[in-house]
Amino acid sequence: MPAKSAVETDTRVEAGDTVGPLLRGVGVLRRLTEAGGTLSPSALERATGLARSTVDRITATLARMDYVRLDGRDVVLAPRVMELGNAYLAALRLPELLGAHADALADELDESVSLAVADLDGIRFIHQATRRRAMSVSFRIGDLLPAERTAPGALFATEWKQPDWARWRTRRATDPTDAAFPAVPPRRPQAEGPADAPLPDSAFVQRVERARRDGWAVDDQLIEPGLVAVSVPVRDPHTGRLACVASVVSHTSRHSAADLRGGLLPRLRTAVTAMETELRTAPPPRPGPPPSGLATWTTASKHQLGRDFVESLARGLTVPTAFGEGRAALSLSDVARATGLARATARRALLTHEHLGLVQALPDRTFTLTPRVLDLGFPPLSRTTLPRLAEPHLRALATRLHEPTALAVLTADGKEIQYTAGAGASRVLTVHITVGARLPAAQTSLGRVLLADAGAPLPPALAEVRAQGYALVDEELESGLRSIAVPVRDRASRAVAALNVATHAARRTLEDCLHDVLPALRETAAHIESDLHTASRFTPIPTS
Ligand code: PHB
């Protein structure tokens, strides 16, 4: 089991000021994240040290918030939990302003490019433009790495003060295998060979001095053999301090550490100059409306679930969502207003989050989110796909209607549809869906809703599909087969997939399809879209 972080055992905030259920609920989300997103209740019991009844009440509450799903015997992180990390990333603004520059550099070099921020004595990724081949580990948004085993860490440490160095030395001594960093391979004993031998503390001190002198840094296989990176700091134009660090990551089979400097560094520097210009000329953030009245639904949930709903946990977890673009630093009153919580409740929640290292109190009596918020589910969920997001919703729909349901995308030439996910019904006579199978787009309900979304002038039948928002194919493809489909739209409102229910003409009339199936299909599409929009706010989610 990974060592508890220093923050979790910190006792600066008086125990009486913190909210116990919120501490325990955040602990459950962290353990699930470290485990890759799924744990059984008994594994959660062991990982958290909590009683089973407590684990059950916490997971029931998190399930009510759509932050986890109870899937058979397992507790599984659900995409909605990414709204916490999204609040941090939106408040930070760097992914929004610099992400496209990082992506363009990755395309130009055909290498991975990342953006990282400092997180105490670690670095944490806030953007990844991944071109990584199968040869090496690839990090996700939210992954935390020990500063001394990375190129960005040497740059961030040029700003460390004496207490930062002291914290780092203590961590190196108390966690000799880097167990607190589940994203990296463990640090190994010296005897195992030069490539992954642990370096003495003095080696990092020297790398930091070089980084200070050169203004850039390299990682020559500090994480694992083969993985190399070169990094340049992106400075905040207003303070001159490091806002984040941009890195190009490669493999020794393509670039030695020496060619990183000669070949890639000049192009990285050009990109960083453009990033700094972007920060200098960016319009001020546009604060959206604060998410008002978040806390009111908790009362209703308490009435419905009773003892199984831990209201103080649900209320406490609404606090991070008060932050966002243009809402990076909030006062206690701002947080109370945005969440609908009483001031005393908001204050205790903020102190609890501060104790957990998720919120930092600023000298002007405002509060800000820390990168540690990304520990709450972000890394595993940021690598999901639309079919994976959709599957639980497809299963729920198939169970509700007792009919098979499927998700499909259009092939690149637009001529066919390809199934990407499906859920069967338990009827004897049922339509079988094979993921990967293709059908002619124009003859299927799934294809028609996707074709109807094309910009070009549409034939009348497709124009009608577009206007009504669904397609119904009645025994055209196969005698007896009746299929109805609706689009699944991305954040830009493009139909990226279609969702259908197939039935038999003998089982449901056309009327039944419109009155019973269509509303359920639309509701399911809305759930899938809600998950997709949350998950894809700061990272692309593949549609197949
Ligand atoms: C990465 O983006 O994966 C990365 C960046 C810098 C490093 C190591 C890995 O030093």
Side-chain angles (χ1 to χ4, degrees):
M1 194 194 311
K4 280 193 175 176
S5 73
V7 177
E8 280 181 276
T9 52
D10 193 336
T11 49
R12 257 175 317 162
V13 177
E14 290 296 315
D17 281 333
T18 60
V19 182
L22 180 55
L23 290 173
R24 293 188 278 278
V26 167
V28 164
L29 289 175
R30 281 182 167 159
R31 299 293 93 83
L32 279 168
T33 305
E34 285 163 7
T38 304
L39 283 173
S40 68
S42 41
L44 264 174
E45 234 182 302
R46 284 191 299 276
T48 57
L50 297 171
R52 177 57 177 265
S53 59
T54 307
V55 166
D56 288 346
R57 287 211 304 280
I58 288 173
T59 54
T61 305
L62 294 173
R64 179 72 178 194
M65 300 182 80
D66 284 333
Y67 281 5
V68 302
R69 214 174 38 243
L70 307 175
D71 190 357
R73 295 195 27 78
D74 286 331
V75 184
V76 183
L77 287 173
R80 180 73 178 267
V81 79
M82 291 177 87
E83 73 185 11
L84 301 172
N86 284 344
Y88 163 73
L89 293 171
L92 184 67
R93 282 196 95 200
L94 296 173
E96 181 214 337
L97 295 174
L98 308 183
H101 292 271
D103 295 349
L105 181 64
D107 287 342
E108 178 192 327
L109 302 175
D110 195 28
E111 296 286 354
S112 298
V113 173
S114 64
L115 300 175
V117 293
D119 186 347
L120 302 180
D121 58 357
I123 71 153
R124 204 180 278 274
F125 294 109
I126 57 164
H127 186 82
Q128 280 283 356
T130 308
R131 295 285 175 290
R132 202 141 317 155
R133 286 77 175 175
M135 305 184 269
S136 49
V137 295
S138 110
F139 297 107
R140 306 159 298 182
I141 297 175
D143 274 335
L144 179 72
L145 274 51
E148 70 280 9
R149 288 176 69 184
T150 68
L155 292 160
F156 287 124
T158 61
E159 293 189 336
W160 284 3
K161 304 281 191 301
Q162 199 274 326
D164 301 303
W165 283 104
R167 174 186 9 240
W168 176 74
R169 285 182 207 283
T170 306
R171 189 261 293 163
R172 289 273 293 175
T174 54
D175 181 12
T177 61
D178 293 341
F181 302 91
V184 295
R187 217 185 325 156
R188 305 256 185 79
Q190 202 110 34
E192 287 188 31
D196 51 4
L199 293 166
D201 287 6
S202 61
F204 184 51
V205 175
Q206 283 162 20
R207 287 180 55 233
V208 175
E209 277 321 305
R210 281 198 63 159
R212 194 191 309 281
R213 204 180 59 220
D214 298 341
W216 51 273
V218 294
D219 162 0
D220 186 2
Q221 310 176 72
L222 295 165
I223 290 168
E224 64 166 19
L227 185 74
V228 288
V230 59
S231 300
V232 170
V234 181
R235 292 192 179 274
D236 180 322
H238 309 293
T239 63
R241 299 192 57 207
L242 270 62
C244 65
V245 168
S247 307
V248 179
V249 190
S250 189
H251 192 271
T252 44
S253 62
R254 289 192 306 285
H255 289 280
S256 68
D259 356 294
L260 288 182
R261 177 187 173 169
L264 301 179
L265 178 61
R267 301 216 267 185
L268 173 58
R269 281 196 152 136
T270 305
V272 165
T273 303
M275 290 181 190
E276 289 177 340
T277 303
E278 185 78 53
L279 295 183
R280 204 162 41 244
T281 58
R286 295 149 299 167
S292 58
L294 280 173
T296 49
W297 70 272
T298 63
T299 308
S301 299
K302 186 77 197 164
H303 282 300
Q304 284 168 30
L305 296 186
R307 217 176 111 57
D308 278 341
F309 187 75
V310 188
E311 210 170 2
S312 57
L313 167 58
R315 290 187 160 168
L317 281 177
T318 66
V319 162
T321 66
F323 295 80
E325 181 175 349
R327 306 177 55 79
L330 300 179
S331 67
L332 169 57
S333 312
D334 294 333
V335 170
R337 209 173 310 118
T339 55
L341 295 173
R343 265 178 79 89
T345 310
R347 179 179 165 276
R348 293 218 314 148
L350 280 164
L351 288 174
T352 306
H353 285 302
E354 187 188 359
H355 175 73
L356 288 164
L358 302 170
V359 156
Q360 195 187 351
L362 300 175
D364 64 357
R365 297 173 61 84
T366 62
F367 298 88
T368 192
L369 296 181
T370 74
R372 205 140 283 222
V373 173
L374 294 172
D375 258 348
L376 309 181
F378 221 86
L381 289 166
S382 72
R383 280 286 166 82
T384 192
T385 63
L386 180 57
R388 249 188 279 158
L389 288 181
E391 259 156 21
H393 300 294
L394 297 186
R395 283 200 298 273
L397 181 63
T399 305
R400 173 171 162 191
L401 296 177
H402 302 286
E403 304 280 13
T405 172
L407 191 74
V409 295
L410 218 45
T411 54
D413 63 8
K415 295 207 168 101
E416 291 176 305
I417 54 135
Q418 183 163 32
Y419 288 113
T420 55
S426 48
R427 296 212 189 200
V428 182
L429 183 72
T430 192
V431 181
H432 287 284
I433 299 140
T434 310
V435 168
R438 294 175 174 221
L439 284 174
Q443 291 169 39
T444 57
S445 63
L446 290 159
R448 287 181 194 173
V449 292
L450 291 167
L451 293 171
D453 200 59
L458 295 171
L462 289 182
E464 193 190 330
V465 166
R466 163 119 107 199
Q468 67 196 13
Y470 69 86
L472 196 152
V473 168
D474 190 23
E475 305 194 61
E476 288 171 51
L477 194 63
E478 194 181 314
S479 158
L481 178 70
R482 208 159 254 172
S483 162
I484 180 165
V486 297
V488 173
R489 297 185 183 280
D490 68 6
R491 291 176 65 86
S493 217
R494 280 183 307 252
V496 289
L499 172 72
N500 87 331
V501 164
T503 185
H504 197 274
R507 217 148 56 207
R508 291 186 199 258
T509 64
L510 285 179
E511 281 280 279
D512 292 341
C513 284
L514 295 183
H515 287 108
D516 307 336
V517 177
L518 183 58
L521 205 49
R522 285 192 159 138
E523 226 175 85
T524 303
H527 287 139
I528 296 170
E529 286 174 348
S530 162
D531 281 354
L532 175 65
H533 299 177
T534 303
S536 63
R537 182 151 175 211
F538 288 105
T539 190
I541 300 295
T543 53
S544 56

